[in-house]
Amino acid sequence: MYSEHLFSYGTLQLDAVQMSTFGRLLDGSADVLPGFEQAMVLIEDAEVVATSGQTHHPILSYSGNPAHSVAGKVFRISPDELAQADRYEVAAYRRVSVTLASGLQAWVYVDARFAPPATAGDTP
């Protein structure tokens, strides 16, 4: 049932966001995403701001530099929940497939302007 892995470094780790987006609290484990740098982005979608309680959210840019990394949590979710996460994220983000430091393949939402090269299944 929970066949997808989703890496979160930001608001998808918040209980309120998980309950609003997935209808449940997610069980996650710590992991690290190498080759990315973190910044902040202004969120102008009122519904997303109301859900997260934050006007600025973290966002990742692909650097390709192995010295750069971002800590977060990886969650097991269903394909339907992945689609729900797609609806939560604003247009500044693009979902891409990555390999975490643990070796696990996971989805992550990154800055659409500075994403790594696309692979099959990535969102536009």
Side-chain angles (χ1 to χ4, degrees), residues 48-98:
V48 172
V49 171
T51 299
S52 71
Q54 300 173 12
T55 59
H56 289 77
H57 290 190
I59 194 163
L60 301 185
S61 296
Y62 178 70
S63 71
N65 184 339
H68 297 157
S69 65
V70 176
K73 284 190 172 180
V74 62
F75 301 105
R76 289 182 58 102
I77 62 173
S78 71
D80 287 341
E81 289 172 327
L82 186 60
Q84 291 167 305
D86 285 344
R87 286 188 290 278
Y88 167 75
E89 296 295 351
V90 297
Y93 294 87
R94 185 172 113 206
R95 178 168 48 91
V96 297
S97 178
V98 295

Side-chain angles (χ1 to χ4, degrees), residues 6-27:
L6 178 63
F7 180 76
S8 173
Y9 53 90
T11 61
L12 285 173
Q13 294 182 61
L14 301 174
D15 289 356
V17 172
Q18 290 179 11
M19 289 302 296
S20 174
T21 305
F22 307 112
R24 69 181 180 100
L25 294 179
L26 305 179
D27 184 30

